[in-house]
Amino acid sequence: MLGLIHTFKLRMDALFRPRGKIFYGWWIVAACAGIQWLAAMTWMHSYGAYAVMLRDEFGWSMSILSLAFALTRLESGLLGPLQGWLVDRFGPRPILLIGTLIFGIGFFVFSQVNSVTTYFVAFILIALGSSLGGFATLMVSLVNWFDRHRSKAVAWSQIGFSVGGLCVPLIILGLEAWGWRNMAIFSGCIVLLIAGPLVLLVKHRPEEIGEVPDGMTLDEHGAEQDHTHYQPQTSFTWRQAVRAPSFWLISAGHGLSLLTVSSMLAHLIPHLTESLKYEPVWAGVVFSAMTGMQLIGLFAGGYLGDRFQKRLICVFCMVGHFIGLLAVTFATSVMWLAVFVIFHGLGWGIRGPLMVALRADYFGPKSFGTIMGISSLIVMLGMTAGPIFCGVMFDVYGNYQMAFTIMAFISLTGSICFWLARPPKQPVAA
C-alpha cells in the first residue's frame, strides 16, 4: 500500500510539480476554469430559463428567442478569424480584459430589455463579450503552455463550464425569487468582480517567464532534460493548415457536434417544461445532471485524449450524442432521461477538449488562434443553425420530436467526418 501511495505521489509531482514547484500552466488552467464557470452559469447554461420567462412576459415566439441565441453564435464565428489574429498578435490577456468588460455591460443592458430591438442589442453585447473573453481566447494560452498534457489541461479548464451547468438550479431559484431583470444585474456584477482578477493570471507563452510547455522537457527515452534541450512543436501557418483536408473535416465534425449541443442548451429546458410537463426547477435538475455527466466526461476525455487516438474517440462521442438525443426526444419515463444524460453528457464532455487538443496536435501552437478562428467560420454554422431550426420546428409542430430526431441523425454524419480526419503531412517550409 505504501508503495502505491509513493508511486501515486511521484506521478502527481511529475504532472503538477515537474521542477519542485507547481508549474504555472496549472494556475492558468484554474483561471480558465473560473472564467468559463462564470460564463456558463450566468448565461450559456441559463439561457433556456431566461427564455421561458421572456416568453411568458412578452409573448415572443420560440423562433424569435432562438434567433437571438443563434445570432450570438453567428457573431462569434464571424469574429473568429479577427479574434484569433488579435490573440496571436497581442496575447490573450488584453483581449480577455476587453471581453470581460463588454460581457458585464451586456448583462446591464439585458436587464433593461423592453422590446425585441433592445433584446437583440443586449444579445450582441453579451455575445461579443463572451467571445472575446471566453473559450477561444483562453485556449490559445493553454495550447502554448502544454504539449504532453494538453488534453488534460484543456479538459480540466472546461470543468468550470460543467460546474456552471450544475449551478443552473440556483440561477433558476434566483430568477423565480428576484425576477430576471434583477438576476441579470447581479450576473453582470459578479462577472466584473470575479472574472477581471482571474484574467490577470493568464499569460500567452511559457517563454515569457523562462518556462517550457509542461514545465519539463523529455528526451526520446522519456528522461527529463534541461530546458535548453527543448525543441518546439512543428507548427503550421494558417495558410498551410487550410490546405489540409483534416482541417475541414475536423471543422465540419466540430460544427455538427455543436449543432446538437447548442440545440440542447437553448431548447432542453423548454422541451422538458412544455413538451414533457416538468416543473422548471426539475427541468433545471435534469439540465444539471447532463452537465454533471459532462464533468465526468471531461476528466475521462483528458486522460483518454493523452493516451489514445483523439479522432477515434470523437467518433464514439458522436454516436453517444445520437443515442442521447433519441432518448430525450421520445422520453416516456425518467429512465430515458437518464439515458440522455449519460450518453449526451459523456459524449459532450469527452469530445469537447479534444476539439482543441486535436487541432493543436495536427497544426501546432504558433498560429493556433488564427487557425481556430478560421475554423470557427464553419463551426458557427452548427451553433447557429441548431437553435434556429429547433425553434422553427417547435412553432410549426408544437413539439420538438421532429427537430431532435433530425439532430440525432446529423450527429452520425459528424462521426464520419472525424473518422476521415487523418493527421496532415508536415508542412513544407514557407
Side-chain angles (χ1 to χ4, degrees), residues 73-193:
R73 300 302 93 202
L74 177 63
E75 179 184 1
S76 299
L78 294 175
L79 181 66
L82 176 60
Q83 178 181 348
W85 179 83
L86 289 172
V87 176
D88 285 338
R89 176 67 178 81
F90 300 105
R93 185 186 294 175
I95 309 303
L96 288 170
L97 287 171
I98 294 170
T100 299
L101 179 61
I102 297 174
F103 190 35
I105 292 173
F107 274 111
F108 299 142
V109 175
F110 180 65
S111 71
Q112 304 303 310
V113 164
N114 53 23
S115 67
V116 172
T117 301
T118 53
Y119 175 63
F120 275 81
V121 170
F123 253 85
I124 290 171
L125 288 173
I126 289 173
L128 180 61
S130 61
S131 295
L132 293 176
F135 176 80
T137 307
L138 296 169
M139 292 305 105
V140 173
S141 176
L142 290 183
V143 300
N144 277 280
W145 277 84
F146 292 92
D147 186 358
R148 289 179 293 123
H149 303 304
R150 185 174 285 150
S151 293
K152 296 187 195 71
V154 173
W156 294 348
S157 76
Q158 292 183 17
I159 287 172
F161 192 81
S162 299
V163 174
L166 295 176
C167 295
V168 166
L170 298 177
I171 297 294
I172 292 176
L173 290 174
L175 289 168
E176 293 183 341
W178 304 321
W180 63 270
R181 294 185 188 275
N182 290 330
M183 200 64 199
I185 293 173
F186 177 72
S187 297
C189 290
I190 64 172
V191 164
L192 295 177
L193 292 175

Side-chain angles (χ1 to χ4, degrees), residues 214-233:
D214 302 304
M216 184 61 70
T217 305
L218 302 182
D219 64 17
E220 60 184 3
H221 303 294
E224 295 180 354
Q225 295 187 110
D226 184 79
H227 281 31
T228 57
H229 291 85
Y230 172 67
Q231 294 294 325
Q233 178 186 352

Side-chain angles (χ1 to χ4, degrees), residues 92-352:
R93 185 186 294 175
I95 309 303
L96 288 170
L97 287 171
I98 294 170
T100 299
L101 179 61
I102 297 174
F103 190 35
I105 292 173
F107 274 111
F108 299 142
V109 175
F110 180 65
S111 71
Q112 304 303 310
V113 164
N114 53 23
S115 67
V116 172
T117 301
T118 53
Y119 175 63
F120 275 81
V121 170
F123 253 85
I124 290 171
L125 288 173
I126 289 173
L128 180 61
S130 61
S131 295
L132 293 176
F135 176 80
T137 307
L138 296 169
M139 292 305 105
V140 173
S141 176
L142 290 183
V143 300
N144 277 280
W145 277 84
F146 292 92
D147 186 358
R148 289 179 293 123
H149 303 304
R150 185 174 285 150
S151 293
K152 296 187 195 71
V154 173
W156 294 348
S157 76
Q158 292 183 17
I159 287 172
F161 192 81
S162 299
V163 174
L166 295 176
C167 295
V168 166
L170 298 177
I171 297 294
I172 292 176
L173 290 174
L175 289 168
E176 293 183 341
W178 304 321
W180 63 270
R181 294 185 188 275
N182 290 330
M183 200 64 199
I185 293 173
F186 177 72
S187 297
C189 290
I190 64 172
V191 164
L192 295 177
L193 292 175
I194 299 178
L198 290 176
V199 165
L200 298 178
L201 294 174
V202 178
K203 296 182 184 296
H204 193 182
R205 295 188 174 96
E207 304 92 274
E208 295 175 10
I209 59 172
E211 283 281 6
V212 295
D214 302 304
M216 184 61 70
T217 305
L218 302 182
D219 64 17
E220 60 184 3
H221 303 294
E224 295 180 354
Q225 295 187 110
D226 184 79
H227 281 31
T228 57
H229 291 85
Y230 172 67
Q231 294 294 325
Q233 178 186 352
T234 300
S235 293
F236 286 62
T237 66
W238 70 265
R239 292 180 179 84
Q240 293 167 333
V242 298
R243 297 191 191 105
S246 56
F247 170 87
W248 301 101
L249 288 167
I250 293 172
S251 299
H254 192 184
L256 293 174
S257 67
L258 293 187
L259 192 79
T260 298
V261 170
S262 64
S263 297
M264 291 299 98
L265 289 176
H267 295 285
L268 178 60
I269 290 179
H271 173 61
L272 293 173
T273 56
E274 301 195 19
S275 298
L276 302 185
K277 306 304 179 184
Y278 283 88
E279 293 295 324
V281 171
W282 286 109
V285 170
V286 175
F287 196 104
S288 294
M290 174 189 71
T291 54
M293 194 58 61
Q294 185 217 8
L295 178 61
I296 296 173
L298 285 173
F299 281 103
Y303 279 99
L304 292 173
D306 286 333
R307 286 165 172 76
F308 303 102
Q309 291 192 46
K310 296 177 179 64
R311 68 179 184 86
L312 297 183
I313 296 173
C314 292
V315 171
F316 288 108
C317 289
M318 296 302 290
V319 175
H321 286 310
F322 167 74
I323 296 172
L325 256 70
L326 287 184
V328 77
T329 300
F330 301 102
T332 56
S333 67
V334 174
M335 181 192 74
W336 289 111
L337 292 180
V339 172
F340 161 75
V341 164
I342 293 170
F343 280 89
H344 178 72
L346 282 179
W348 179 15
I350 294 173
R351 175 196 52 74

